[in-house]
Every structure is written in structure tokens, then in C-alpha cells.
Amino acid sequence: MQDIDNEIRNLVAEIIEKDPSEVGGEARFIEDLGVDSMMALEILAALEKKYKIAIPEDKLAEFTTLNSIIKVAKQYIAASQTNA
Amino acid sequence: MPNKRIVITGLGIISPNGIGVDDFSRAVFNGESGIKPITLFDTADFKAKTAGEVINFEPAKFLGDKGLRVLDRSTKLLNSAARLALDDAGLDITEENSRETGVVIGTNLGSLKSISDYDREAILEGPRYVNPALFPNTVVNAPASQVSIRFNIKGFNVTISTGFTSGLESINYALNAIRLGRAKTVLAGAVEELCIQTFIGFYKLGCLAGTKNNSIELSCPFDKRRNGLVFGEGSCVLVLEDLDSALYRNAKIYAEVKAGATAFEPAGLGRYNLNSEGLSRAMDQALKGSGLSSKDIGYISSAANSTVDADLYETKSIKNIFKDYAKKVKISALKSMLGESFSASASFQVASAALAIKKQIIPPTINYQDKDFDCDLDFVLGDGCEENIDNCLVNAFGPFGENAGLIISKFK
């Protein structure tokens, strides 16, 4: 699962235009990293595309740190693997 | 309308033969072509292989690294040109002047590639997986809107899509807005990007040079060998300003914009109507609006784009309005060096006309070799020519019936 953590860190870093090393697990997106709502939507769409999953849009509210995103993503990745 | 005087105080140019006023000016007055083999996409499947492509374009140089990832080429070209125009004019957008500043941009094909790319992703990956951040690029007013957002300009924001005349119509819109007191300063310009989608469209319509049997792939306006246009791209933004505002700022003044006019005469779809009086009317109205007669014009910046009927139509229209003087007035076709960049063409013409007035030199028409006796006007060739230019007429027109003329003059 460490691979997925890194993949998501790189994916998020690319969208928010930061070096992956700058994106700490608990760094606050809006306050610390300057993430805006369009970037959050982009992250959601990119996760869905990469892992072929569907994340409900109300989960966007939980996209506040890298760790919280990884948690949400893993939940839906696991669900999709169970269904498959 | 109150008769306010309006001047050009800044030029921002991202063109196939130069980026920035200095490079563009050097190339245009030396008769250097910006037309080269296309690098943006593979032309192996086409007979036409060249275009006026903007090369060595590094948007981060003008706009910084951040926020460029999701902007399309049109938006980056236009925003870079706007940055250069503001810098050239020495104009800072502040809370005090932001609401008195407007943006009006001509573009027609600017979002075509973005639409195509967006649809492609939806088809290949599924509609659920498209990138929402790329959706704003698919609307035609995205490039202009990004200018206002990036530079915090709070006056009006308008996009004009009137075909080949969009570059002049945007300047006309700016003139009206300033005269009506809606703005003191307007960024008026245009943008088009070169992409395979528009290239194929024009190619299949048979508009491009070098695609018919034994024809030459060359942008050679008014020349007997002409057989179609060579595509171009780029962006040009002019800072138009109320004279009082320009004087108050102690801004440098390139030229005064006197009056513009447009005339629409529906023709057959995509065919130039040689009997149309549209361009004649546009030129005539622009002259009347300026209080000038045809003999006051020292130079015509022609819209001729090396299409057989387009160049003939402009020749006939000039003869209509200029009568005996038609063969004496100096004429030059900038598209011989830049290609046809649709909306952006006329903006480049106005910029080069402003520079011509400032330098009192007319840039040359290049690639002119074989005389066409039906196009028998006084074309400036070679290295251009020194001339007393008090007033310049800039023409723009297209095959769908759109025509426009604009007069710019030496600032006195």
C-alpha cells in the first residue's frame, strides 16, 4: 500500500504544482498549500481516472490533507476490488 | 458621441517572426518571413507543410511558472501578449484604475483544439474521467477572461468572433467604449493558435497554398503564382488609451486611432464575392469617420492573404474608393511574412502600421515576383520604403461577407 501512498502524493503534487517533498501528509491544503476548489475537483477526477473508481462528490469535503485523501481513495479502491 | 482622441500607448506581440516589439519590428521592416516547416504536429499526411508558427515561445518567461499547466496555447499566447503590452505601455493595473480598464479580444478558432482534446479524453477514458480543470478552455471567451483574471482588470471583458475582421472589430469596440466613457484604457487584441484541427479544416476546404497540382506553397499576396493561404498563429494586444489619460501618465504614444468601420455583405459561403461592395463601404466609412479623404492616406496595410480572389477583391475595392489615386498609394501585405492568422492578422497589421507611422517607413511585401496584371497597384517591395505617412488605412475582410477598415494616424 506504500506504493499507492506515493502515487497519490505525486498525483496531488503535480496538480497543485508543488514538489512531492513539499506535500506533507498533514499539511493543510487551503492554508498551507494554497489549493483551490478547482484543484480539489481535479484531484478527485484524476484519482477516479487512475484507479477506475467512483468517489461521490460529497467526499470532496474530506479532501483537506494528503493523508485524508489517501484514506478516502484507499476506501474506494478496496471497495472496487471487493466488487470485482 | 463625444469626440475623444484615442492613442496607442502599448504593443504586446507574440508573432511567428518575433516576440516583443523589438524583434517583431526588426523582422517586419527587414522583410523576414516567419513561415517555416510546422513543428507543432506531423504534416506527413498533407501536401501543405509550412505555417507561421510561433517558435521559441516560453510562456513562463512572461507569466511565471504557476498556473500554466491547465491553460491552452491560445490562452498562453494571449496572456503573454497582454503582459508585454502592459509592460510596453508602462501601465500598472491598480485598485484605482482597474474598473476603468477593459479587455476586448478577437478570436474564432481559439478553443477548437481544447474542445477536441476534451472530447477525445471523454471518448477514450469515459465521460466520468475527464479533467474538470480543462473544461473552461473549451469556451471561446476563455483566453480573454484569463487576461482579466490574471491582471485583475475589472472593467468590461468581451470576446469578439466575427471571422477575419475580429482583430479590427475589437479595436472598434475599444474606441466606442472609450468614447462613451466606459473605460479610459482598453487592452484590445486578438489571438489564434495553430493546431492540427484547424489546419485540417482549412486544408480540406482547399484554402491552403501548395495543395493543388503544380502549385507553389508560398504566401505571395498579389503575385500571379498565388494559390491559397499559408496558415499563421499568434497574439497581438494593443493598449488603447484616452489621450488625456496617456498625457497625464506621460506615456509614449505610437499613433492615434481615428476611426473604424465595418460592413457586412453576405456572399456565397466561403467564397469571395468579387462584386461585393462590402470592403469599399468599410473603407469609405472609416475615411468619413476620420474626416479624411483617400488622398490623405499614405499607406494601406492590406489584408491580402495570397488567395486568388481575396487579393483581387481588395484590389478592386481599393480602386473603387481611391479612384485615380489607387495606383499611387503605397500598399503592403504583412501576411506575406506572417501567414493568415485569422482573427490575429488584423491586430498584427495595426501594430505594424503603428510602428510604420512611428518610423515613417513602410514594411515590404515579400515573395512578390510575378506580376498579376489584375492586381496592378503600388506594392512596397524589397526593403520597404521611407515615406511621409500621416495616415494609414488597415483593411480586414473574409470570404463570408465580413469587411472592416481602420484609420490610424501620426500623433500630432
Side-chain angles (χ1 to χ4, degrees):
Chain A
M1 287 303 250
Q2 193 59 40
D3 282 353
I4 290 184
D5 287 21
N6 267 332
E7 277 175 11
I8 296 177
R9 183 191 299 270
N10 290 337
L11 176 150
V12 167
E14 193 189 333
I15 290 170
I16 68 175
E17 300 184 16
K18 300 272 185 209
D19 191 88
S21 65
E22 294 174 70
V23 188
E26 290 301 325
R28 294 166 304 171
F29 268 19
I30 297 170
E31 298 86 344
D32 300 334
L33 297 172
V35 174
D36 62 27
S37 58
M38 180 60 93
M39 290 173 181
L41 276 170
E42 237 191 308
I43 292 167
L44 182 120
L47 289 169
E48 291 190 330
K49 184 172 156 183
K50 187 170 182 70
Y51 300 109
K52 296 292 174 221
I53 52 176
I55 303 173
E57 260 138 54
D58 57 14
K59 288 284 170 189
L60 262 182
E62 294 175 29
F63 280 26
T64 53
T65 64
L66 177 64
N67 283 348
S68 62
I69 288 180
I70 291 173
K71 193 175 149 205
V72 171
K74 281 181 175 170
Q75 184 190 335
Y76 285 90
I77 293 167
S80 73
Q81 283 163 352
T82 315
N83 293 342
Chain B
M1 233 184 267
N3 201 19
K4 283 187 186 166
R5 294 179 71 185
I6 295 159
V7 289
I8 300 170
T9 56
L11 300 175
I13 300 165
I14 307 282
S15 88
N17 67 356
I19 290 176
V21 176
D22 292 344
D23 280 1
F24 176 77
S25 180
R26 185 188 43 72
V28 163
F29 289 94
N30 283 333
E32 288 170 19
S33 177
I35 295 169
K36 297 182 178 69
I38 293 169
T39 66
L40 281 169
F41 50 87
D42 185 5
T43 56
D45 292 337
F46 312 111
K47 285 183 192 165
K49 312 221 175 260
T50 62
E53 179 181 314
V54 175
I55 51 168
N56 302 325
F57 174 51
E58 296 169 50
K61 249 170 78 178
F62 312 105
L63 305 172
D65 292 329
K66 297 285 177 200
L68 298 183
R69 191 177 45 88
V70 292
L71 302 181
D72 63 16
R73 184 171 175 84
S74 292
T75 305
K76 286 186 277 202
L77 288 167
L78 176 66
N79 278 263
S80 301
R83 171 80 271 162
L84 288 173
L86 288 167
D87 290 349
D88 188 46
L91 186 66
D92 287 325
I93 304 295
T94 61
E95 278 308 307
E96 284 70 45
N97 66 19
S98 175
R99 285 180 177 76
E100 295 172 341
T101 307
V103 173
V104 54
I105 300 301
T107 191
N108 285 270
L109 306 164
S111 48
L112 195 57
K113 181 172 189 298
S114 291
I115 294 169
S116 178
D117 289 349
Y118 190 78
D119 282 349
R120 189 168 188 273
E121 191 176 25
I123 291 164
L124 292 179
E125 304 282 344
R128 192 175 174 94
Y129 302 120
V130 295
N131 182 351
L134 298 180
F135 177 65
N137 289 335
T138 64
V139 295
V140 76
N141 67 335
S145 301
Q146 290 289 348
V147 171
S148 291
I149 292 167
R150 181 169 287 269
F151 302 108
N152 191 31
I153 297 172
K154 295 178 181 166
F156 60 81
N157 183 284
V158 173
T159 292
I160 293 190
S161 294
T162 52
F164 286 82
T165 53
S166 305
L168 284 195
E169 303 246 27
S170 67
I171 293 172
N172 246 335
Y173 189 99
L175 292 182
N176 290 336
I178 295 172
R179 288 195 174 129
L180 288 165
R182 288 186 60 205
K184 281 187 178 167
T185 311
V186 180
L187 271 64
V191 63
E192 295 291 359
E193 70 172 85
L194 178 67
C195 63
I196 192 164
Q197 288 84 354
T198 50
F199 183 84
I200 289 178
F202 278 74
Y203 181 80
K204 298 206 102 169
L205 284 170
C207 299
L208 300 188
T211 57
K212 297 173 194 85
N213 285 340
N214 301 320
S215 62
I216 184 168
E217 186 178 348
L218 187 68
S219 183
C220 52
F222 301 115
D223 185 294
K224 186 81 184 161
R225 299 168 298 162
R226 72 187 188 277
N227 64 88
L229 59 86
V230 174
F231 226 89
E233 68 162 356
S235 179
C236 178
V237 174
L238 298 98
V239 177
L240 300 188
E241 195 164 354
D242 179 310
L243 177 60
D244 292 340
S245 162
L247 293 175
Y248 179 76
R249 288 201 308 117
N250 203 16
K252 76 166 173 275
I253 293 174
Y254 285 97
E256 178 171 1
V257 187
K258 285 284 176 61
T262 64
F264 194 85
E265 286 214 359
L269 197 59
R271 287 229 175 94
Y272 291 92
N273 176 2
L274 293 174
N275 297 317
S276 163
E277 302 207 331
L279 183 59
S280 305
R281 274 201 292 140
M283 288 190 284
D284 191 43
Q285 290 299 317
L287 284 165
K288 286 187 174 128
S290 311
L292 298 172
S293 82
S294 56
K295 288 201 168 54
D296 297 320
I297 299 297
Y299 159 44
I300 299 176
S301 175
S302 154
N305 66 6
S306 198
T307 297
V308 174
D309 283 352
D311 302 8
L312 195 53
Y313 171 59
E314 188 168 13
T315 303
K316 287 180 72 162
S317 304
I318 290 169
K319 286 179 181 173
N320 259 349
I321 297 303
F322 284 73
K323 312 280 186 215
D324 296 346
Y325 182 57
K327 292 190 181 181
K328 296 192 182 112
V329 63
K330 301 277 187 233
I331 297 172
S332 194
L334 189 65
K335 291 173 193 173
S336 60
M337 294 181 249
L338 300 184
E340 174 60 83
S341 51
F342 216 58
S343 309
S345 287
S347 300
F348 287 135
Q349 284 169 252
V350 176
S352 70
L355 291 166
I357 285 172
K358 191 92 183 154
K359 290 171 181 281
Q360 294 288 294
I361 299 175
I362 298 175
T365 303
I366 66 166
N367 298 329
Y368 187 86
Q369 178 188 305
D370 295 353
K371 184 171 175 133
D372 174 356
F373 287 95
D374 290 327
C375 296
D376 50 347
L377 302 174
D378 187 5
F379 307 118
V380 176
L381 309 173
D383 298 327
C385 72
E386 285 187 37
E387 187 77 23
N388 286 328
I389 316 163
D390 280 335
N391 306 292
C392 170
L393 168 66
V394 179
N395 281 339
F397 61 91
F400 306 102
E402 69 275 39
N403 300 277
L406 182 85
I407 309 259
I408 68 171
S409 303
K410 194 170 168 180
F411 174 66
K412 290 176 183 169

Tab-separated table of all heavy atoms in Angstrom, chain A residues 24-59:
chain	number	residue	atom	x	y	z
A	24	GLY	N	3.398	17.436	2.582
A	24	GLY	CA	3.396	16.612	3.785
A	24	GLY	C	2.030	15.992	4.015
A	24	GLY	O	1.017	16.539	3.578
A	25	GLY	N	2.024	14.834	4.707
A	25	GLY	CA	0.762	14.116	4.914
A	25	GLY	C	-0.278	14.939	5.648
A	25	GLY	O	-1.468	14.845	5.377
A	26	GLU	N	0.151	15.782	6.562
A	26	GLU	CA	-0.814	16.537	7.369
A	26	GLU	C	-0.852	18.026	7.011
A	26	GLU	O	-1.494	18.816	7.685
A	26	GLU	CB	-0.506	16.368	8.867
A	26	GLU	CG	-0.795	14.957	9.408
A	26	GLU	CD	-2.259	14.524	9.243
A	26	GLU	OE1	-3.159	15.386	9.355
A	26	GLU	OE2	-2.494	13.324	8.981
A	27	ALA	N	-0.126	18.434	5.957
A	27	ALA	CA	-0.161	19.847	5.533
A	27	ALA	C	-1.582	20.198	5.108
A	27	ALA	O	-2.210	19.444	4.365
A	27	ALA	CB	0.822	20.077	4.394
A	28	ARG	N	-2.090	21.336	5.603
A	28	ARG	CA	-3.474	21.716	5.288
A	28	ARG	C	-3.535	22.301	3.877
A	28	ARG	O	-2.770	23.211	3.541
A	28	ARG	CB	-3.987	22.734	6.316
A	28	ARG	CG	-4.107	22.149	7.714
A	28	ARG	CD	-4.282	23.241	8.740
A	28	ARG	NE	-3.189	24.205	8.680
A	28	ARG	CZ	-3.176	25.364	9.359
A	28	ARG	NH1	-4.201	25.707	10.105
A	28	ARG	NH2	-2.149	26.179	9.252
A	29	PHE	N	-4.451	21.753	3.082
A	29	PHE	CA	-4.484	22.104	1.662
A	29	PHE	C	-4.672	23.594	1.411
A	29	PHE	O	-3.925	24.204	0.662
A	29	PHE	CB	-5.603	21.312	0.959
A	29	PHE	CG	-5.098	20.016	0.379
A	29	PHE	CD1	-3.905	19.458	0.824
A	29	PHE	CD2	-5.790	19.374	-0.633
A	29	PHE	CE1	-3.428	18.283	0.283
A	29	PHE	CE2	-5.318	18.204	-1.187
A	29	PHE	CZ	-4.143	17.645	-0.729
A	30	ILE	N	-5.702	24.153	2.000
A	30	ILE	CA	-6.013	25.550	1.695
A	30	ILE	C	-5.010	26.479	2.377
A	30	ILE	O	-4.375	27.307	1.730
A	30	ILE	CB	-7.461	25.898	2.126
A	30	ILE	CG1	-8.452	25.042	1.329
A	30	ILE	CG2	-7.742	27.388	1.923
A	30	ILE	CD1	-9.879	25.104	1.811
A	31	GLU	N	-4.822	26.269	3.676
A	31	GLU	CA	-3.994	27.197	4.452
A	31	GLU	C	-2.502	27.056	4.131
A	31	GLU	O	-1.800	28.053	3.976
A	31	GLU	CB	-4.206	26.977	5.958
A	31	GLU	CG	-5.631	27.229	6.450
A	31	GLU	CD	-6.535	25.998	6.300
A	31	GLU	OE1	-6.162	25.070	5.566
A	31	GLU	OE2	-7.611	25.987	6.924
A	32	ASP	N	-2.018	25.810	4.039
A	32	ASP	CA	-0.572	25.607	3.906
A	32	ASP	C	-0.122	25.475	2.452
A	32	ASP	O	1.002	25.846	2.108
A	32	ASP	CB	-0.130	24.338	4.654
A	32	ASP	CG	-0.459	24.420	6.143
A	32	ASP	OD1	-0.540	25.553	6.661
A	32	ASP	OD2	-0.636	23.363	6.768
A	33	LEU	N	-0.981	24.922	1.608
A	33	LEU	CA	-0.520	24.591	0.248
A	33	LEU	C	-1.196	25.427	-0.848
A	33	LEU	O	-0.869	25.293	-2.013
A	33	LEU	CB	-0.747	23.099	-0.034
A	33	LEU	CG	0.034	22.135	0.877
A	33	LEU	CD1	-0.407	20.698	0.631
A	33	LEU	CD2	1.534	22.262	0.635
A	34	GLY	N	-2.157	26.265	-0.472
A	34	GLY	CA	-2.796	27.140	-1.463
A	34	GLY	C	-3.643	26.412	-2.490
A	34	GLY	O	-3.774	26.860	-3.633
A	35	VAL	N	-4.225	25.292	-2.081
A	35	VAL	CA	-5.064	24.534	-3.015
A	35	VAL	C	-6.423	25.222	-3.159
A	35	VAL	O	-7.000	25.664	-2.164
A	35	VAL	CB	-5.259	23.082	-2.502
A	35	VAL	CG1	-6.234	22.316	-3.379
A	35	VAL	CG2	-3.908	22.376	-2.452
A	36	ASP	N	-6.915	25.344	-4.390
A	36	ASP	CA	-8.251	25.934	-4.570
A	36	ASP	C	-9.259	24.860	-4.962
A	36	ASP	O	-8.915	23.688	-5.133
A	36	ASP	CB	-8.204	27.096	-5.578
A	36	ASP	CG	-7.775	26.661	-6.970
A	36	ASP	OD1	-8.003	25.479	-7.337
A	36	ASP	OD2	-7.211	27.497	-7.702
A	37	SER	N	-10.513	25.276	-5.098
A	37	SER	CA	-11.589	24.297	-5.295
A	37	SER	C	-11.454	23.577	-6.631
A	37	SER	O	-11.773	22.396	-6.754
A	37	SER	CB	-12.944	24.990	-5.202
A	37	SER	OG	-13.023	26.021	-6.172
A	38	MET	N	-10.928	24.304	-7.660
A	38	MET	CA	-10.754	23.653	-8.959
A	38	MET	C	-9.698	22.548	-8.877
A	38	MET	O	-9.855	21.475	-9.430
A	38	MET	CB	-10.361	24.698	-10.018
A	38	MET	CG	-10.165	24.121	-11.404
A	38	MET	SD	-11.643	23.324	-12.071
A	38	MET	CE	-12.369	24.698	-12.968
A	39	MET	N	-8.634	22.825	-8.113
A	39	MET	CA	-7.595	21.801	-7.949
A	39	MET	C	-8.153	20.580	-7.221
A	39	MET	O	-7.835	19.441	-7.565
A	39	MET	CB	-6.399	22.366	-7.167
A	39	MET	CG	-5.584	23.402	-7.928
A	39	MET	SD	-4.350	24.121	-6.814
A	39	MET	CE	-3.553	25.303	-7.892
A	40	ALA	N	-9.006	20.822	-6.222
A	40	ALA	CA	-9.603	19.700	-5.487
A	40	ALA	C	-10.455	18.837	-6.418
A	40	ALA	O	-10.384	17.607	-6.390
A	40	ALA	CB	-10.452	20.233	-4.326
A	41	LEU	N	-11.216	19.493	-7.281
A	41	LEU	CA	-12.017	18.758	-8.273
A	41	LEU	C	-11.123	17.957	-9.218
A	41	LEU	O	-11.432	16.834	-9.596
A	41	LEU	CB	-12.844	19.743	-9.117
A	41	LEU	CG	-14.170	20.213	-8.542
A	41	LEU	CD1	-14.724	21.359	-9.390
A	41	LEU	CD2	-15.171	19.068	-8.491
A	42	GLU	N	-10.007	18.579	-9.593
A	42	GLU	CA	-9.067	17.913	-10.490
A	42	GLU	C	-8.460	16.680	-9.839
A	42	GLU	O	-8.283	15.648	-10.487
A	42	GLU	CB	-7.944	18.901	-10.840
A	42	GLU	CG	-7.789	19.124	-12.311
A	42	GLU	CD	-6.512	19.895	-12.629
A	42	GLU	OE1	-6.308	20.968	-12.033
A	42	GLU	OE2	-5.742	19.413	-13.467
A	43	ILE	N	-8.139	16.811	-8.543
A	43	ILE	CA	-7.561	15.668	-7.809
A	43	ILE	C	-8.570	14.528	-7.776
A	43	ILE	O	-8.241	13.373	-8.058
A	43	ILE	CB	-7.166	16.091	-6.368
A	43	ILE	CG1	-5.987	17.069	-6.427
A	43	ILE	CG2	-6.826	14.872	-5.517
A	43	ILE	CD1	-5.705	17.789	-5.104
A	44	LEU	N	-9.830	14.880	-7.494
A	44	LEU	CA	-10.876	13.857	-7.442
A	44	LEU	C	-11.006	13.145	-8.793
A	44	LEU	O	-11.010	11.910	-8.871
A	44	LEU	CB	-12.211	14.502	-7.048
A	44	LEU	CG	-13.378	13.533	-6.920
A	44	LEU	CD1	-13.939	13.559	-5.499
A	44	LEU	CD2	-14.504	13.874	-7.891
A	45	ALA	N	-11.039	13.940	-9.867
A	45	ALA	CA	-11.206	13.343	-11.198
A	45	ALA	C	-9.987	12.507	-11.575
A	45	ALA	O	-10.115	11.438	-12.188
A	45	ALA	CB	-11.437	14.445	-12.240
A	46	ALA	N	-8.799	12.965	-11.179
A	46	ALA	CA	-7.575	12.233	-11.521
A	46	ALA	C	-7.504	10.902	-10.775
A	46	ALA	O	-7.054	9.890	-11.326
A	46	ALA	CB	-6.351	13.094	-11.212
A	47	LEU	N	-7.954	10.898	-9.507
A	47	LEU	CA	-7.983	9.636	-8.736
A	47	LEU	C	-8.963	8.653	-9.368
A	47	LEU	O	-8.670	7.469	-9.509
A	47	LEU	CB	-8.412	9.910	-7.282
A	47	LEU	CG	-7.402	10.636	-6.392
A	47	LEU	CD1	-8.065	11.066	-5.080
A	47	LEU	CD2	-6.195	9.744	-6.101
A	48	GLU	N	-10.121	9.166	-9.758
A	48	GLU	CA	-11.133	8.295	-10.374
A	48	GLU	C	-10.593	7.672	-11.655
A	48	GLU	O	-10.785	6.501	-11.931
A	48	GLU	CB	-12.404	9.096	-10.674
A	48	GLU	CG	-13.157	9.517	-9.421
A	48	GLU	CD	-14.532	10.106	-9.737
A	48	GLU	OE1	-14.690	10.708	-10.829
A	48	GLU	OE2	-15.439	9.964	-8.907
A	49	LYS	N	-9.882	8.504	-12.440
A	49	LYS	CA	-9.363	8.028	-13.723
A	49	LYS	C	-8.248	7.005	-13.511
A	49	LYS	O	-8.229	5.952	-14.135
A	49	LYS	CB	-8.844	9.239	-14.516
A	49	LYS	CG	-8.352	8.912	-15.909
A	49	LYS	CD	-8.051	10.213	-16.643
A	49	LYS	CE	-7.049	10.008	-17.742
A	49	LYS	NZ	-6.718	11.279	-18.407
A	50	LYS	N	-7.337	7.314	-12.565
A	50	LYS	CA	-6.173	6.458	-12.360
A	50	LYS	C	-6.582	5.079	-11.830
A	50	LYS	O	-6.079	4.061	-12.287
A	50	LYS	CB	-5.204	7.126	-11.389
A	50	LYS	CG	-3.887	6.386	-11.236
A	50	LYS	CD	-2.887	7.224	-10.449
A	50	LYS	CE	-1.556	6.519	-10.329
A	50	LYS	NZ	-0.821	6.425	-11.585
A	51	TYR	N	-7.498	5.071	-10.873
A	51	TYR	CA	-7.845	3.793	-10.235
A	51	TYR	C	-9.177	3.236	-10.722
A	51	TYR	O	-9.657	2.241	-10.207
A	51	TYR	CB	-7.837	3.965	-8.708
A	51	TYR	CG	-6.475	4.389	-8.196
A	51	TYR	CD1	-6.252	5.671	-7.708
A	51	TYR	CD2	-5.397	3.504	-8.253
A	51	TYR	CE1	-4.998	6.068	-7.278
A	51	TYR	CE2	-4.131	3.888	-7.830
A	51	TYR	CZ	-3.931	5.182	-7.342
A	51	TYR	OH	-2.677	5.562	-6.930
A	52	LYS	N	-9.763	3.889	-11.705
A	52	LYS	CA	-11.065	3.468	-12.247
A	52	LYS	C	-12.064	3.238	-11.115
A	52	LYS	O	-12.646	2.158	-10.958
A	52	LYS	CB	-10.922	2.200	-13.111
A	52	LYS	CG	-10.063	2.412	-14.355
A	52	LYS	CD	-10.748	3.341	-15.359
A	52	LYS	CE	-9.831	3.662	-16.539
A	52	LYS	NZ	-9.885	5.045	-16.968
A	53	ILE	N	-12.190	4.269	-10.288
A	53	ILE	CA	-13.129	4.198	-9.170
A	53	ILE	C	-14.103	5.365	-9.277
A	53	ILE	O	-13.893	6.266	-10.096
A	53	ILE	CB	-12.400	4.283	-7.800
A	53	ILE	CG1	-11.477	5.520	-7.763
A	53	ILE	CG2	-11.607	3.001	-7.555
A	53	ILE	CD1	-10.793	5.753	-6.425
A	54	ALA	N	-15.162	5.337	-8.499
A	54	ALA	CA	-16.105	6.456	-8.457
A	54	ALA	C	-16.183	6.959	-7.024
A	54	ALA	O	-16.595	6.230	-6.127
A	54	ALA	CB	-17.478	5.998	-8.953
A	55	ILE	N	-15.727	8.179	-6.812
A	55	ILE	CA	-15.777	8.774	-5.468
A	55	ILE	C	-16.924	9.786	-5.449
A	55	ILE	O	-16.947	10.707	-6.259
A	55	ILE	CB	-14.443	9.492	-5.134
A	55	ILE	CG1	-13.265	8.516	-5.251
A	55	ILE	CG2	-14.503	10.119	-3.744
A	55	ILE	CD1	-11.891	9.184	-5.106
A	56	PRO	N	-17.897	9.607	-4.562
A	56	PRO	CA	-19.022	10.554	-4.531
A	56	PRO	C	-18.516	11.983	-4.258
A	56	PRO	O	-17.557	12.160	-3.499
A	56	PRO	CB	-19.879	10.063	-3.354
A	56	PRO	CG	-19.409	8.689	-3.050
A	56	PRO	CD	-17.992	8.593	-3.506
A	57	GLU	N	-19.172	12.964	-4.869
A	57	GLU	CA	-18.655	14.329	-4.758
A	57	GLU	C	-18.733	14.899	-3.340
A	57	GLU	O	-17.971	15.802	-2.999
A	57	GLU	CB	-19.353	15.254	-5.761
A	57	GLU	CG	-18.476	15.463	-6.993
A	57	GLU	CD	-19.261	15.426	-8.294
A	57	GLU	OE1	-20.230	16.183	-8.396
A	57	GLU	OE2	-18.895	14.624	-9.187
A	58	ASP	N	-19.630	14.335	-2.501
A	58	ASP	CA	-19.690	14.872	-1.136
A	58	ASP	C	-18.421	14.523	-0.343
A	58	ASP	O	-18.152	15.104	0.701
A	58	ASP	CB	-20.964	14.426	-0.396
A	58	ASP	CG	-21.105	12.912	-0.335
A	58	ASP	OD1	-20.110	12.219	-0.611
A	58	ASP	OD2	-22.208	12.437	0.004
A	59	LYS	N	-17.617	13.613	-0.889
A	59	LYS	CA	-16.347	13.272	-0.241
A	59	LYS	C	-15.303	14.386	-0.408
A	59	LYS	O	-14.268	14.381	0.258
A	59	LYS	CB	-15.786	11.962	-0.818
A	59	LYS	CG	-16.559	10.735	-0.385
A	59	LYS	CD	-16.198	10.376	1.049
A	59	LYS	CE	-17.144	9.293	1.571
A	59	LYS	NZ	-16.973	9.079	3.016
